[in-house]
């Protein structure tokens, strides 16, 4: 894995050095569509170049934010055009194997209708989720204007943090990767705990239903 990241890092650096700000936009667009390309390899390097006086801080952040938003738009339309026809039949036919039902999907979509702005905004600063969050937004037909506003705000925060981290660390900009990695591990722990709680509660609910039917 370390070798792969090293090769990705060299590829990212060469693109940014070759075409500058458009390179940042291009790589951040690809990062949203292909999560194995980590943004923590893109923006900190741009921040390093800012610190050396080779780039402007605000233009670098703007280029990274633009790439993230463009990638999010692509995923939004994938969710809108393909999500519902694919996801709903899956929940209907196979959801029970995952302790899920079609009603659970409806509840999730309704929750997105109510709290979609917060979900999209907050999701942009959470590794892994930051790319995937565009799919349910598209599935739920979140108004494009609102989607763009909160996606842009959240993406700007994420790219700013990574870029400024690169400026501060200078030649040690790759240390940002370790910081984000620890943050990502914490997120995964929280998500895992949430999944465990969900499964336990669902099993208890199913057990209560089974007992009530047997009486």
């Amino acid at each position: 894995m370390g070798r792969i990241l090293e090769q990705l890092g060299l590829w990212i650096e060469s693109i940014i050095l070759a075409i500058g700000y458009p390179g940042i936009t291009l790589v951040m667009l690809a990062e949203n569509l292909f999560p194995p390309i980590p943004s923590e390899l893109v923006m900190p390097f741009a921040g390093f170049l800012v610190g050396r006086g080779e780039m402007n801080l605000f233009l670098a952040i703007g280029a990274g934010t633009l790439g993230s938003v463009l990638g999010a738009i692509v995923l939004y339309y994938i969710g809108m055009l393909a999500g519902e026809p694919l996801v709903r039949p899956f929940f209907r036919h196979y959801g029970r194997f995952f302790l899920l039902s079609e009603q659970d999907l409806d509840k999730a979509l309704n929750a997105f209708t109510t709290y979609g702005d917060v979900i999209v905004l907050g999701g942009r600063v959470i590794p892994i989720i930051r790319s995937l969050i565009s799919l349910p937004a598209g599935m739920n037909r979140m108004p494009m204007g609102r989607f763009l506003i909160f996606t842009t705000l959240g993406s700007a925060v994420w790219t700013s943090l990574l870029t400024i981290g690169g400026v501060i660390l200078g030649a040690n900009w790759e240390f940002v990767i370790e910081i984000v990695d620890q943050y990502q591990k914490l997120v995964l722990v929280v998500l895992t705990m949430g999944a465990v709680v969900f499964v336990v509660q669902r099993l208890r609910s199913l057990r209560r239903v089974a007992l009530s039917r047997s009486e």
Side-chain angles (χ1 to χ4, degrees):
M1 185 64 179
R3 181 67 176 170
I4 295 175
L5 285 176
E6 182 181 346
Q7 291 300 318
L8 278 173
L10 293 174
W11 174 71
I12 289 168
E13 290 175 24
S14 64
I15 290 178
I16 294 176
L17 289 173
I19 57 178
Y21 301 111
I24 296 176
T25 299
L26 178 64
V27 178
M28 288 298 285
L29 167 61
E31 181 266 340
N32 267 263
L33 300 178
F34 307 102
I37 302 174
S39 56
E40 55 266 29
L41 279 177
V42 183
M43 299 314 302
F45 178 65
F48 166 61
L49 295 178
V50 169
R52 288 174 49 175
E54 298 180 27
M55 280 191 164
N56 176 275
L57 175 63
F58 298 105
L59 291 179
I61 292 174
T65 301
L66 175 61
S68 294
V69 172
L70 292 175
I73 291 173
V74 173
L75 291 174
Y76 173 93
Y77 280 108
I78 290 175
M80 184 177 72
L81 299 174
E84 184 80 8
L86 292 176
V87 174
R88 187 168 293 280
F90 177 85
F91 270 73
R92 184 180 301 130
H93 298 294
Y94 305 106
R96 62 182 181 278
F97 298 113
F98 301 91
L99 302 178
L100 296 169
S101 66
E102 194 172 357
Q103 288 71 33
D104 292 320
L105 175 62
D106 291 330
K107 290 178 182 178
L109 293 176
N110 289 334
F112 205 96
T113 301
T114 306
Y115 306 107
D117 297 348
V118 175
I119 294 172
V120 170
L121 178 63
R124 296 299 168 190
V125 296
I126 302 177
I128 301 175
I129 293 176
R130 62 184 304 273
S131 295
L132 300 177
I133 198 65
S134 300
L135 294 172
M139 283 182 62
N140 206 54
R141 304 295 199 277
M142 183 178 186
M144 179 56 73
R146 283 168 47 203
F147 176 76
L148 287 176
I149 290 173
F150 291 100
T151 294
T152 301
L153 288 174
S155 298
V157 169
W158 181 247
T159 55
S160 296
L161 290 174
L162 293 178
T163 307
I164 293 171
V167 174
I168 295 173
L169 291 172
N172 298 313
W173 64 271
E174 291 181 338
F175 184 68
V176 174
I177 299 173
E178 297 183 26
I179 298 174
V180 175
D181 184 57
Q182 295 302 314
Y183 172 51
Q184 181 169 293
K185 288 178 180 177
L186 176 61
V187 170
L188 289 174
V189 168
V190 173
L191 291 176
T192 300
M193 291 176 61
V196 170
V197 171
F198 171 80
V199 170
V200 170
Q201 291 181 338
R202 182 50 60 91
L203 288 174
R204 287 178 176 174
S205 177
L206 292 174
R207 184 182 178 186
R208 285 195 298 268
V209 172
L211 288 174
S212 63
R213 290 177 178 176
S214 62
E215 292 177 354

